[in-house]
Amino acid sequence: MTHLAYLDAGSGSLIVQAVVGGVAGAAVAAKLYWRRLVARFRRQPTDRS
Amino acid sequence: MAFFDTGVQAEPGSFRDPGNRVFHRHGEVLRGLDERSARDWRALAAADFFRDLLAAGKVCGTEELTPAPVDLPWAAVLRHERIPFVSHPYEWTYGMLRDAALLHLDVLRMALADGFTTKDGSAYNLQWRGATPVFIDVGSFEPARDGEPWAGYRQFCQTLLYPMLLQAHLGVDFQPWLRARIDGIEPDQIRRLFGGTRRWRPGVLTHVHLHGAMQARNARASTADVRAQLRAAGYSRELALATVRGLEKLVRRLDHRPGESYWSDYQRTCAYSVPDRQAKEEFVDRAATATAPGLVLDLGANDGRYARIAARQAGYVVAVEQDAAVADALYRALRAAGEQRVLPLVMDLADPSPGGGWRGVERAAFGDRARADLVLALAVVHHLAIGRNVPLAEVLDQFVALTAPGGSLVVEFVHPEDPMARRLLANKPDGLFPDYRREAFEPLLAARGRIVRQAELPSGTRTLYQVVVHG
Ligand SMILES: C[S@@+](CC[C@H](N)C(=O)[O-])C[C@H]1O[C@@H](n2cnc3c(N)ncnc32)[C@H](O)[C@@H]1O
């Protein structure tokens, strides 16, 4: 179960924290974007059918 | 929430986190916790870092009421140390905002290292004991979940970091921005001020531009999804710690010192003769000794000379000064001295902090917070009456409103012949203030209280009064 906070942390504000976290953080951000990209390509054919 | 005869007064500034709320009862500051917050509290109370923070005075004193009061609808109730005078970030000097930010990051870093985090990151999580910041939002701690960035980062940027960037990089006073927006400055607003080469200033590219762009691009992604994606991509607690350390480094670099202002050198260049100053110091000292005040307000405090004299006899002194550079210099001096009983604030007496936030009461107006046993208004009446055109009677009404019934007002009247008054009068049309005279001032004073002491300063152009305000 994902636990949600009372405060809207802001999606962009969460991701940018990875980016500012040096090389290791940037790698996490890159991985996140890569996975999103891959997920979109995988989804597309089925979306169209 | 409906309470029946429990003597409970909800704190209007505490409702954003429904899981724990601050309220007042019988003069105590209490915090009610629901089941989950009570579980978090017990974990917190057993954590080493929290004990260390309490021992160092970095977090406000907190203990659980045991057994929990049965007449209150909470799973657990905490009692907090009372902060002597609640202030808002838009009343702080730059140095205060920066030290508050550093304390927040310090607290967060210690929490993270011990498996905890804070749910938010707001400047309103902090208060002051004199010139020492205190983290007050004990309800903000919760066990950290691995793989999650700090939920309070956005608030930290909006209420602490961006105001500092404004002041440190652009020389723009941050206070009006915070006063106007309870949630602080949005990335989308501040980024417009940091175009061109300014984007290369420390902290701007990432925390402002990139942050703003990421917010825009991810506006429709839910935070739950993004948290899951970050965790899957390997976001770790070490990364969260690295982010906090990066922020600390940035904030330390933003060590802006306001330039000299008109009032900066006042005590050295002012028209006082040494005998005048001595007579004034003695007058203030006697008033403070005679009243042994709990709370003192020093209005137009400048370098805090009289605030500090009053502090020798008082519980707590709030030193109000409109000039941000002067107030910041005072803050740094007090901080260096480890002063815990004099709180410097930046505020224009002709435009005091209004109520703010939800219904205008979430952040209490200055007038609703300040009820002092002793009010000092030294060499400031002429600034309001001549400099700001406020009728003399109203100037006094305002001073009296800030004084507790039966409390004392020490006020200095600078005669129209005094060089300083003459300088102000020279900027206004002749004869604009026919009532700015001692003969008009005294009856106004007498109508508002009992004049118990009065002294002419040796220069002959200034008079001091101590008035016991009608109860
Ligand atoms: C003449 S000095 C007096 C300083 C000190 N009270 C004393 O008696 O030595 C006036 C001080 O009041 C401050 N001041 C003037 N107008 C003010 C206002 N509207 N609100 C707050 N402070 C003000 C000035 O910035 C200055 O520091």
Side-chain angles (χ1 to χ4, degrees), chain B residues 439-457:
Chain B
E439 299 73 38
F441 183 75
E442 277 179 11
L444 291 173
L445 256 192
R448 286 162 179 77
R450 189 161 44 85
I451 301 178
V452 293
R453 209 152 54 88
Q454 172 169 345
E456 306 300 325
L457 293 189

Side-chain angles (χ1 to χ4, degrees), chain B residues 11-280:
Chain B
E11 163 55 53
S14 167
F15 62 83
R16 296 212 186 189
D17 181 358
N20 78 95
R21 296 226 176 144
V22 175
F23 56 93
H24 306 269
R25 177 154 92 157
H26 313 315
E28 291 187 322
V29 185
L30 305 173
R31 182 188 295 269
L33 308 175
D34 69 5
E35 289 290 348
R36 211 182 86 211
S37 300
R39 270 201 308 279
D40 289 350
W41 155 252
R42 287 186 185 122
L44 179 70
D48 288 340
F49 88 96
F50 187 66
R51 239 171 292 155
D52 294 346
L53 284 175
L54 277 178
K58 292 180 177 178
V59 167
C60 82
T62 301
E63 56 191 2
E64 185 174 345
L65 296 185
T66 44
V70 287
D71 56 339
L72 298 177
W74 297 103
V77 175
L78 309 181
R79 175 171 45 222
H80 289 307
E81 150 198 4
R82 173 176 287 283
I83 294 299
F85 189 90
V86 171
S87 59
H88 304 318
Y90 42 86
E91 298 165 339
W92 301 347
T93 72
Y94 181 80
M96 292 171 81
L97 193 75
R98 179 169 173 272
D99 284 343
L102 286 173
L103 176 65
H104 202 316
L105 294 171
D106 188 22
V107 165
L108 176 63
R109 185 173 29 72
M110 288 176 67
L112 283 173
D114 215 358
F116 283 78
T117 186
T118 63
K119 296 177 197 170
D120 44 30
S122 159
Y124 294 92
N125 285 347
L126 301 134
Q127 282 297 332
W128 297 86
R129 278 188 217 105
T132 308
V134 193
F135 187 91
I136 57 159
D137 195 1
V138 171
S140 175
F141 292 105
E142 64 175 356
R145 286 168 300 276
D146 258 345
E148 290 197 5
W150 182 28
Y153 170 75
R154 175 161 75 166
Q155 265 191 339
F156 183 86
C157 286
Q158 294 192 178
T159 61
L160 287 160
L161 183 62
Y162 296 164
M164 275 186 277
L165 294 179
L166 268 187
Q167 188 96 55
H169 291 331
L170 305 181
V172 173
D173 284 342
F174 70 89
Q175 292 91 349
W177 294 67
L178 283 186
R179 170 159 152 176
R181 299 179 166 227
I182 192 158
D183 291 326
I185 312 169
E186 308 262 333
D188 191 44
Q189 290 288 300
I190 191 172
R191 74 201 284 196
R192 287 160 213 275
L193 299 174
F194 280 99
T197 54
R198 289 174 175 170
R199 74 183 65 236
W200 304 109
R201 304 276 178 85
V204 172
L205 203 58
T206 46
H207 297 290
V208 174
H209 288 286
L210 195 63
H211 190 177
M214 292 269 184
Q215 280 195 348
R217 276 163 166 243
N218 289 278
R220 280 188 296 176
S222 83
T223 50
D225 287 348
V226 168
R227 280 194 168 98
Q229 290 167 7
L230 278 165
R231 196 175 302 124
Y235 194 88
S236 64
R237 194 195 299 177
E238 282 63 44
L239 269 179
L241 270 167
T243 305
V244 175
R245 276 195 297 268
L247 282 169
E248 277 185 312
K249 209 163 122 196
L250 172 60
V251 173
R252 279 188 207 288
R253 274 181 83 179
L254 299 174
D255 187 16
H256 157 88
R257 281 175 200 249
E260 293 281 291
S261 67
Y262 174 72
W263 285 110
S264 293
D265 234 3
Y266 167 71
Q267 289 293 348
R268 258 197 308 136
T269 55
C270 68
Y272 292 140
S273 59
V274 174
D276 263 24
R277 203 170 63 207
Q278 281 170 350
K280 201 160 144 178

Side-chain angles (χ1 to χ4, degrees), chain A residues 3-48:
Chain A
H3 162 86
L4 288 175
Y6 86 91
L7 178 74
D8 180 1
S11 299
S13 307
L14 292 174
I15 298 175
V16 79
Q17 290 182 71
V19 183
V20 301
V23 181
V28 168
K31 200 161 164 191
L32 179 144
Y33 275 105
W34 174 250
R35 285 173 171 224
R36 278 188 181 178
L37 203 69
V38 170
R40 191 174 310 162
F41 277 114
R42 279 213 194 111
R43 216 178 312 139
Q44 250 164 20
T46 45
D47 280 356
R48 288 211 186 107

Side-chain angles (χ1 to χ4, degrees), chain B residues 88 90-91 179 346-348 351-355 364-369:
Chain B
H88 304 318
Y90 42 86
E91 298 165 339
R179 170 159 152 176
V346 184
M347 200 182 76
D348 179 358
D351 183 20
S353 307
F366 182 77
D368 292 335
R369 282 172 282 151

